[in-house]
């Protein structure tokens, strides 16, 4: 049975809210004090912020909102346009779900987001955290929005010894017990801000924390030991080959990946399978067309959520009029920016065409991307 360490006093929501009123972050999707929050903007930002930093999301959010200013505009847009606007944010299944959710809001809820956590949870792509965050922030429902930041804060406040992910239900209960009925939305946002700016993973600024007095981890000097985590198993390195075909009219051979699965619905140059035992010396068996292939020096490295990938890149230049194989198409190089190319494929094209900094063997640390 779980036991919690004894503490002098409980963390009080008014202390956190008083701190929030003075130090709240100004964010493009956040209503200013006294303004009515727009559920569409709250929802959109929460989906974008899943696994992505505020700094990375800000420019994406503003461009996306300009292109799809309302949930109706998003629902009406072709899914390809949504995927293209999302390219670069990672976790591409979120973009498909975003579109499906907008359609559901328009079709089943007459274009207005439902106001309760339970109804929100029933929409595509809305999980427990997002449902609670939107319900609390946009509709003032006393819901506990618990993401990684909040888990860190609460596990430290109460020195929760149970490791994540098993501790999730307990952390949620502890959070819910603190949610004030009068300002649930501000409380949710205050906790987010506290986790992002004060109760950081390393060297939390406890001296500035409104909950310094009741925080058990701070009293013990053990802040960085929380939250406890179960050891993660990382996936094996996978290898593969990517084939860049440049036709004399300056077009590139592309194809669209299947909707389901890794990078579903995104666009790529033809590639082999990605497998731990893939042998690049046999890559010609996977080449999409017959041509004079040139194996380029170096590798393209990319890190997905579940595995790292190394691609050997092959380049072929073919004459004008070369037809495309069945499920592929030619896209002019100048139009590549309109394609929903994931980060790994941008690296491949940069490596082959010299349009950017190629990621050569050992030259750059790969940036994690998600599926
Ligand atoms: S006192 Fe320190 S460890 Fe505790 S909640 Fe505040 S910032 Fe986090």
């Amino acid at each position: 049975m779980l036991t919690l360490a004894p503490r002098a006093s409980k963390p009080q929501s008014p202390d956190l809210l008083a701190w929030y009123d003075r130090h709240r972050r100004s964010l493009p999707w956040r209503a200013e004090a006294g303004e009515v929050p727009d559920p569409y903007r709250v929802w959109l930002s929460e989906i974008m912020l899943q696994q992505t930093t505020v700094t990375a999301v800000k420019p994406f959010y503003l461009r996306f909102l300009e292109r799809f200013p309302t949930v109706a505009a998003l629902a009406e847009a072709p899914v390809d346009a949504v995927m293209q606007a999302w390219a670069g944010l990672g976790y591409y299944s979120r973009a498909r779900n975003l579109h499906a959710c907008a359609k559901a809001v328009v079709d089943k809820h007459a274009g207005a987001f439902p106001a309760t956590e339970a109804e929100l949870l029933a929409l595509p792509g809305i999980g427990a955290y997002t449902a609670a965050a939107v319900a609390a922030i946009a509709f003032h429902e006393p819901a506990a929005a618990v993401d990684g930041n909040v888990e860190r804060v609460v596990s430290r406040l109460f020195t929760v010894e149970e490791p994540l992910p098993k501790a999730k239900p307990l952390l949620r209960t502890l959070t819910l017990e603190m949610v004030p009925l009068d300002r649930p939305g501000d409380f949710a946002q205050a906790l987010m801000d506290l986790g992002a700016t004060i109760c950081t993973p390393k060297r939390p600024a406890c001296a500035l924390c409104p909950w310094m007095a009741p925080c058990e981890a701070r009293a013990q000097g053990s802040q960085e030991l929380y939250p406890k985590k179960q050891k993660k198993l990382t996936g094996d390195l996978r290898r593969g080959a990517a084939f860049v075909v440049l036709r004399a009219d300056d077009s590139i051979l592309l194809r669209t990946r299947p909707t389901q699965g890794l990078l579903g619905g995104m666009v790529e140059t033809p590639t082999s399978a990605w497998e731990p035992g893939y042998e690049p010396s046999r890559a010609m068996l996977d080449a999409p067309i017959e041509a004079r292939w040139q194996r380029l020096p170096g590798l393209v490295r990319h890190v997905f959520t579940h595995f790292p990938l190394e691609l050997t890149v092959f380049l072929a230049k073919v004459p004008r009029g070369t037809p495309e194989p069945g499920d592929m198409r030619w896209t002019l190089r100048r139009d590549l920016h309109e394609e929903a190319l994931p980060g790994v494929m941008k690296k491949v094209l940069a490596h082959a065409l010299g349009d950017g900094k190629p990621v050569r063997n050992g030259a750059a640390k790969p940036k994690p991307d998600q599926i």
Side-chain angles (χ1 to χ4, degrees), residues 85-132:
W86 194 271
L89 260 183
Y91 280 92
Y92 297 104
S93 57
R94 285 185 297 168
R96 280 194 301 279
N97 280 330
L98 189 86
H99 190 241
C101 184
K103 279 179 164 304
V105 168
V106 168
D107 295 345
K108 297 182 187 161
H109 299 277
F113 275 87
T116 67
E117 190 178 0
E119 286 173 298
L120 287 161
L121 201 49
L123 290 169
I126 295 197
Y129 166 76
T130 309

Short mmCIF file of all heavy atoms in Angstrom, two decimals, residues 85-132:
data_model
loop_
_atom_site.label_atom_id
_atom_site.label_comp_id
_atom_site.label_asym_id
_atom_site.label_seq_id
_atom_site.Cartn_x
_atom_site.Cartn_y
_atom_site.Cartn_z
N ALA A 85 -0.05 21.82 -43.36
CA ALA A 85 0.14 22.91 -42.39
C ALA A 85 0.78 22.39 -41.11
O ALA A 85 1.42 23.13 -40.37
CB ALA A 85 -1.20 23.57 -42.08
N TRP A 86 0.62 21.10 -40.85
CA TRP A 86 1.13 20.50 -39.61
C TRP A 86 2.58 20.04 -39.76
O TRP A 86 3.29 19.83 -38.79
CB TRP A 86 0.26 19.30 -39.25
CG TRP A 86 0.46 18.79 -37.87
CD1 TRP A 86 1.37 17.84 -37.47
CD2 TRP A 86 -0.22 19.20 -36.69
NE1 TRP A 86 1.27 17.64 -36.12
CE2 TRP A 86 0.31 18.46 -35.61
CE3 TRP A 86 -1.24 20.13 -36.43
CZ2 TRP A 86 -0.14 18.61 -34.31
CZ3 TRP A 86 -1.68 20.28 -35.13
CH2 TRP A 86 -1.14 19.53 -34.10
N ALA A 87 3.04 19.86 -41.01
CA ALA A 87 4.36 19.25 -41.26
C ALA A 87 5.43 19.96 -40.44
O ALA A 87 5.52 21.18 -40.43
CB ALA A 87 4.68 19.31 -42.74
N GLY A 88 6.22 19.18 -39.74
CA GLY A 88 7.30 19.75 -38.93
C GLY A 88 6.99 19.72 -37.45
O GLY A 88 7.89 19.83 -36.62
N LEU A 89 5.71 19.57 -37.09
CA LEU A 89 5.35 19.55 -35.66
C LEU A 89 5.52 18.17 -35.04
O LEU A 89 5.49 18.03 -33.83
CB LEU A 89 3.91 20.03 -35.45
CG LEU A 89 3.71 21.47 -35.01
CD1 LEU A 89 2.23 21.74 -34.78
CD2 LEU A 89 4.49 21.80 -33.75
N GLY A 90 5.63 17.12 -35.86
CA GLY A 90 5.79 15.78 -35.32
C GLY A 90 4.46 15.17 -34.88
O GLY A 90 3.42 15.84 -34.89
N TYR A 91 4.49 13.91 -34.49
CA TYR A 91 3.28 13.21 -34.05
C TYR A 91 2.13 13.43 -35.04
O TYR A 91 1.12 14.03 -34.74
CB TYR A 91 2.84 13.69 -32.66
CG TYR A 91 3.61 13.06 -31.55
CD1 TYR A 91 4.75 13.69 -31.05
CD2 TYR A 91 3.24 11.85 -31.00
CE1 TYR A 91 5.48 13.10 -30.02
CE2 TYR A 91 3.96 11.26 -29.99
CZ TYR A 91 5.09 11.90 -29.51
OH TYR A 91 5.80 11.33 -28.52
N TYR A 92 2.32 12.94 -36.28
CA TYR A 92 1.41 13.31 -37.35
C TYR A 92 0.00 12.75 -37.17
O TYR A 92 -0.95 13.26 -37.75
CB TYR A 92 2.01 12.88 -38.69
CG TYR A 92 3.29 13.64 -38.91
CD1 TYR A 92 4.53 13.04 -38.73
CD2 TYR A 92 3.25 15.00 -39.23
CE1 TYR A 92 5.70 13.76 -38.88
CE2 TYR A 92 4.42 15.71 -39.37
CZ TYR A 92 5.64 15.09 -39.20
OH TYR A 92 6.79 15.81 -39.34
N SER A 93 -0.14 11.70 -36.35
CA SER A 93 -1.49 11.20 -36.11
C SER A 93 -2.33 12.29 -35.44
O SER A 93 -3.55 12.32 -35.58
CB SER A 93 -1.45 9.96 -35.23
OG SER A 93 -0.79 10.26 -34.02
N ARG A 94 -1.67 13.22 -34.74
CA ARG A 94 -2.42 14.32 -34.11
C ARG A 94 -3.12 15.17 -35.16
O ARG A 94 -4.21 15.68 -34.95
CB ARG A 94 -1.48 15.21 -33.30
CG ARG A 94 -1.04 14.59 -32.00
CD ARG A 94 -0.22 15.57 -31.19
NE ARG A 94 1.00 15.95 -31.88
CZ ARG A 94 1.79 16.95 -31.52
NH1 ARG A 94 1.48 17.70 -30.49
NH2 ARG A 94 2.90 17.22 -32.17
N ALA A 95 -2.44 15.40 -36.31
CA ALA A 95 -3.04 16.24 -37.35
C ALA A 95 -4.28 15.58 -37.95
O ALA A 95 -5.28 16.24 -38.20
CB ALA A 95 -2.01 16.53 -38.43
N ARG A 96 -4.19 14.27 -38.15
CA ARG A 96 -5.36 13.57 -38.70
C ARG A 96 -6.52 13.62 -37.70
O ARG A 96 -7.67 13.85 -38.06
CB ARG A 96 -5.01 12.12 -39.02
CG ARG A 96 -4.27 11.96 -40.33
CD ARG A 96 -4.26 10.49 -40.75
NE ARG A 96 -3.62 9.64 -39.75
CZ ARG A 96 -2.30 9.51 -39.64
NH1 ARG A 96 -1.51 10.16 -40.46
NH2 ARG A 96 -1.77 8.74 -38.72
N ASN A 97 -6.17 13.39 -36.43
CA ASN A 97 -7.21 13.44 -35.40
C ASN A 97 -7.79 14.84 -35.22
O ASN A 97 -8.97 15.02 -34.93
CB ASN A 97 -6.65 12.95 -34.07
CG ASN A 97 -6.60 11.44 -34.02
OD1 ASN A 97 -7.40 10.76 -34.64
ND2 ASN A 97 -5.63 10.90 -33.29
N LEU A 98 -6.92 15.83 -35.38
CA LEU A 98 -7.35 17.22 -35.27
C LEU A 98 -8.45 17.50 -36.29
O LEU A 98 -9.50 18.08 -35.98
CB LEU A 98 -6.14 18.12 -35.55
CG LEU A 98 -6.28 19.60 -35.28
CD1 LEU A 98 -5.96 19.87 -33.81
CD2 LEU A 98 -5.31 20.40 -36.15
N HIS A 99 -8.20 17.04 -37.51
CA HIS A 99 -9.16 17.25 -38.59
C HIS A 99 -10.45 16.48 -38.30
O HIS A 99 -11.56 17.02 -38.45
CB HIS A 99 -8.53 16.81 -39.91
CG HIS A 99 -9.32 17.19 -41.10
ND1 HIS A 99 -9.85 16.28 -41.98
CD2 HIS A 99 -9.69 18.40 -41.57
CE1 HIS A 99 -10.51 16.91 -42.93
NE2 HIS A 99 -10.43 18.21 -42.72
N ALA A 100 -10.30 15.21 -37.86
CA ALA A 100 -11.48 14.39 -37.56
C ALA A 100 -12.28 15.02 -36.41
O ALA A 100 -13.51 15.01 -36.42
CB ALA A 100 -11.03 12.98 -37.18
N CYS A 101 -11.58 15.58 -35.45
CA CYS A 101 -12.26 16.20 -34.30
C CYS A 101 -13.04 17.44 -34.75
O CYS A 101 -14.19 17.64 -34.36
CB CYS A 101 -11.22 16.57 -33.24
SG CYS A 101 -11.96 17.24 -31.75
N ALA A 102 -12.42 18.25 -35.60
CA ALA A 102 -13.11 19.46 -36.09
C ALA A 102 -14.39 19.06 -36.82
O ALA A 102 -15.45 19.68 -36.64
CB ALA A 102 -12.18 20.24 -37.01
N LYS A 103 -14.29 17.99 -37.63
CA LYS A 103 -15.48 17.53 -38.36
C LYS A 103 -16.57 17.05 -37.38
O LYS A 103 -17.75 17.34 -37.56
CB LYS A 103 -15.10 16.37 -39.29
CG LYS A 103 -14.48 16.83 -40.59
CD LYS A 103 -14.13 15.59 -41.44
CE LYS A 103 -13.87 15.93 -42.87
NZ LYS A 103 -14.90 16.63 -43.59
N ALA A 104 -16.14 16.33 -36.33
CA ALA A 104 -17.11 15.84 -35.35
C ALA A 104 -17.78 16.99 -34.61
O ALA A 104 -18.99 16.95 -34.33
CB ALA A 104 -16.41 14.90 -34.36
N VAL A 105 -17.01 18.04 -34.30
CA VAL A 105 -17.60 19.20 -33.60
C VAL A 105 -18.65 19.86 -34.49
O VAL A 105 -19.74 20.24 -34.03
CB VAL A 105 -16.48 20.21 -33.21
CG1 VAL A 105 -17.09 21.53 -32.75
CG2 VAL A 105 -15.60 19.62 -32.11
N VAL A 106 -18.33 19.96 -35.79
CA VAL A 106 -19.28 20.59 -36.72
C VAL A 106 -20.49 19.69 -36.95
O VAL A 106 -21.64 20.13 -36.89
CB VAL A 106 -18.55 20.91 -38.06
CG1 VAL A 106 -19.56 21.30 -39.14
CG2 VAL A 106 -17.54 22.04 -37.84
N ASP A 107 -20.23 18.38 -37.19
CA ASP A 107 -21.33 17.47 -37.55
C ASP A 107 -22.22 17.10 -36.36
O ASP A 107 -23.44 17.03 -36.48
CB ASP A 107 -20.77 16.17 -38.16
CG ASP A 107 -20.06 16.44 -39.48
OD1 ASP A 107 -20.26 17.54 -40.03
OD2 ASP A 107 -19.30 15.58 -39.95
N LYS A 108 -21.60 16.86 -35.20
CA LYS A 108 -22.39 16.34 -34.06
C LYS A 108 -22.73 17.39 -33.03
O LYS A 108 -23.57 17.17 -32.15
CB LYS A 108 -21.61 15.21 -33.38
CG LYS A 108 -21.38 14.01 -34.28
CD LYS A 108 -20.66 12.91 -33.54
CE LYS A 108 -20.29 11.78 -34.48
NZ LYS A 108 -19.24 10.93 -33.95
N HIS A 109 -22.01 18.52 -33.04
CA HIS A 109 -22.24 19.53 -31.99
C HIS A 109 -22.53 20.91 -32.58
O HIS A 109 -22.28 21.93 -31.92
CB HIS A 109 -21.05 19.59 -31.04
CG HIS A 109 -20.77 18.30 -30.33
ND1 HIS A 109 -21.44 17.93 -29.18
CD2 HIS A 109 -19.93 17.27 -30.62
CE1 HIS A 109 -20.99 16.73 -28.78
NE2 HIS A 109 -20.08 16.32 -29.64
N ALA A 110 -22.99 20.93 -33.83
CA ALA A 110 -23.38 22.18 -34.51
C ALA A 110 -22.27 23.23 -34.47
O ALA A 110 -22.52 24.43 -34.37
CB ALA A 110 -24.67 22.73 -33.87
N GLY A 111 -21.03 22.77 -34.52
CA GLY A 111 -19.91 23.71 -34.62
C GLY A 111 -19.45 24.31 -33.31
O GLY A 111 -18.57 25.18 -33.30
N ALA A 112 -20.03 23.88 -32.19
CA ALA A 112 -19.61 24.41 -30.88
C ALA A 112 -19.02 23.27 -30.05
O ALA A 112 -19.65 22.21 -29.91
CB ALA A 112 -20.80 25.02 -30.15
N PHE A 113 -17.86 23.49 -29.49
CA PHE A 113 -17.26 22.43 -28.67
C PHE A 113 -18.17 22.11 -27.49
O PHE A 113 -18.71 23.03 -26.85
CB PHE A 113 -15.90 22.89 -28.12
CG PHE A 113 -14.77 22.64 -29.08
CD1 PHE A 113 -14.46 23.60 -30.05
CD2 PHE A 113 -14.03 21.48 -29.04
CE1 PHE A 113 -13.43 23.38 -30.96
CE2 PHE A 113 -13.01 21.24 -29.94
CZ PHE A 113 -12.70 22.20 -30.90
N PRO A 114 -18.34 20.81 -27.17
CA PRO A 114 -19.13 20.49 -25.97
C PRO A 114 -18.40 20.97 -24.72
O PRO A 114 -17.18 21.08 -24.71
CB PRO A 114 -19.22 18.96 -26.02
CG PRO A 114 -18.08 18.52 -26.87
CD PRO A 114 -17.82 19.63 -27.85
N ALA A 115 -19.18 21.21 -23.65
CA ALA A 115 -18.61 21.92 -22.51
C ALA A 115 -18.15 21.03 -21.37
O ALA A 115 -17.59 21.53 -20.39
CB ALA A 115 -19.66 22.92 -21.99
N THR A 116 -18.38 19.73 -21.47
CA THR A 116 -18.00 18.89 -20.32
C THR A 116 -16.81 18.00 -20.67
O THR A 116 -16.61 17.64 -21.83
CB THR A 116 -19.16 17.98 -19.87
OG1 THR A 116 -19.40 17.02 -20.91
CG2 THR A 116 -20.42 18.77 -19.58
N GLU A 117 -16.09 17.63 -19.62
CA GLU A 117 -14.91 16.78 -19.79
C GLU A 117 -15.31 15.46 -20.47
O GLU A 117 -14.62 15.00 -21.37
CB GLU A 117 -14.31 16.51 -18.40
CG GLU A 117 -12.96 15.86 -18.41
CD GLU A 117 -12.41 15.66 -17.00
OE1 GLU A 117 -13.09 16.03 -16.01
OE2 GLU A 117 -11.31 15.12 -16.87
N ALA A 118 -16.42 14.88 -20.04
CA ALA A 118 -16.85 13.59 -20.58
C ALA A 118 -17.18 13.68 -22.07
O ALA A 118 -16.79 12.83 -22.86
CB ALA A 118 -18.06 13.08 -19.81
N GLU A 119 -17.88 14.74 -22.47
CA GLU A 119 -18.23 14.90 -23.90
C GLU A 119 -16.99 15.18 -24.73
O GLU A 119 -16.85 14.70 -25.86
CB GLU A 119 -19.22 16.05 -24.08
CG GLU A 119 -20.62 15.74 -23.63
CD GLU A 119 -21.49 16.99 -23.69
OE1 GLU A 119 -21.18 17.97 -22.97
OE2 GLU A 119 -22.45 16.99 -24.47
N LEU A 120 -16.09 15.97 -24.19
CA LEU A 120 -14.85 16.28 -24.91
C LEU A 120 -14.03 15.01 -25.13
O LEU A 120 -13.44 14.80 -26.18
CB LEU A 120 -14.03 17.32 -24.14
CG LEU A 120 -14.59 18.74 -24.18
CD1 LEU A 120 -14.02 19.58 -23.04
CD2 LEU A 120 -14.29 19.40 -25.52
N LEU A 121 -14.01 14.17 -24.11
CA LEU A 121 -13.24 12.93 -24.16
C LEU A 121 -13.74 12.00 -25.27
O LEU A 121 -12.99 11.18 -25.80
CB LEU A 121 -13.36 12.23 -22.80
CG LEU A 121 -12.31 11.21 -22.39
CD1 LEU A 121 -10.90 11.71 -22.58
CD2 LEU A 121 -12.53 10.82 -20.93
N ALA A 122 -14.98 12.15 -25.64
CA ALA A 122 -15.56 11.27 -26.68
C ALA A 122 -15.17 11.73 -28.09
O ALA A 122 -15.42 11.01 -29.05
CB ALA A 122 -17.09 11.26 -26.55
N LEU A 123 -14.55 12.90 -28.22
CA LEU A 123 -14.17 13.39 -29.56
C LEU A 123 -12.84 12.77 -30.02
O LEU A 123 -11.99 12.45 -29.18
CB LEU A 123 -14.04 14.92 -29.52
CG LEU A 123 -15.35 15.69 -29.36
CD1 LEU A 123 -15.07 17.16 -29.06
CD2 LEU A 123 -16.21 15.56 -30.61
N PRO A 124 -12.64 12.63 -31.33
CA PRO A 124 -11.40 12.02 -31.82
C PRO A 124 -10.16 12.81 -31.39
O PRO A 124 -10.15 14.04 -31.45
CB PRO A 124 -11.55 12.07 -33.35
CG PRO A 124 -12.96 12.36 -33.63
CD PRO A 124 -13.54 13.02 -32.42
N GLY A 125 -9.14 12.09 -30.94
CA GLY A 125 -7.86 12.72 -30.63
C GLY A 125 -7.81 13.47 -29.32
O GLY A 125 -6.81 14.09 -28.99
N ILE A 126 -8.92 13.47 -28.56
CA ILE A 126 -8.92 14.17 -27.26
C ILE A 126 -8.77 13.12 -26.16
O ILE A 126 -9.65 12.30 -25.94
CB ILE A 126 -10.20 15.01 -27.07
CG1 ILE A 126 -10.21 16.14 -28.12
CG2 ILE A 126 -10.28 15.56 -25.66
CD1 ILE A 126 -11.15 17.27 -27.82
N GLY A 127 -7.64 13.18 -25.49
CA GLY A 127 -7.39 12.26 -24.39
C GLY A 127 -7.74 12.90 -23.06
O GLY A 127 -8.29 14.02 -23.01
N ALA A 128 -7.40 12.20 -21.98
CA ALA A 128 -7.79 12.66 -20.64
C ALA A 128 -7.25 14.04 -20.32
O ALA A 128 -7.96 14.91 -19.80
CB ALA A 128 -7.31 11.65 -19.60
N TYR A 129 -5.98 14.27 -20.67
CA TYR A 129 -5.38 15.57 -20.33
C TYR A 129 -6.08 16.70 -21.09
O TYR A 129 -6.49 17.70 -20.51
CB TYR A 129 -3.87 15.58 -20.64
CG TYR A 129 -3.35 16.99 -20.62
CD1 TYR A 129 -3.13 17.63 -19.40
CD2 TYR A 129 -3.15 17.71 -21.79
CE1 TYR A 129 -2.71 18.95 -19.35
CE2 TYR A 129 -2.73 19.03 -21.76
CZ TYR A 129 -2.50 19.64 -20.53
OH TYR A 129 -2.11 20.94 -20.50
N THR A 130 -6.22 16.53 -22.42
CA THR A 130 -6.79 17.60 -23.24
C THR A 130 -8.24 17.87 -22.84
O THR A 130 -8.67 19.03 -22.77
CB THR A 130 -6.68 17.24 -24.73
OG1 THR A 130 -5.32 16.88 -25.00
CG2 THR A 130 -7.06 18.40 -25.62
N ALA A 131 -9.00 16.80 -22.60
CA ALA A 131 -10.40 16.98 -22.20
C ALA A 131 -10.48 17.81 -20.92
O ALA A 131 -11.28 18.75 -20.81
CB ALA A 131 -11.07 15.63 -21.99
N ALA A 132 -9.64 17.48 -19.96
CA ALA A 132 -9.66 18.21 -18.68
C ALA A 132 -9.19 19.64 -18.87
O ALA A 132 -9.79 20.58 -18.31
CB ALA A 132 -8.78 17.48 -17.66
#
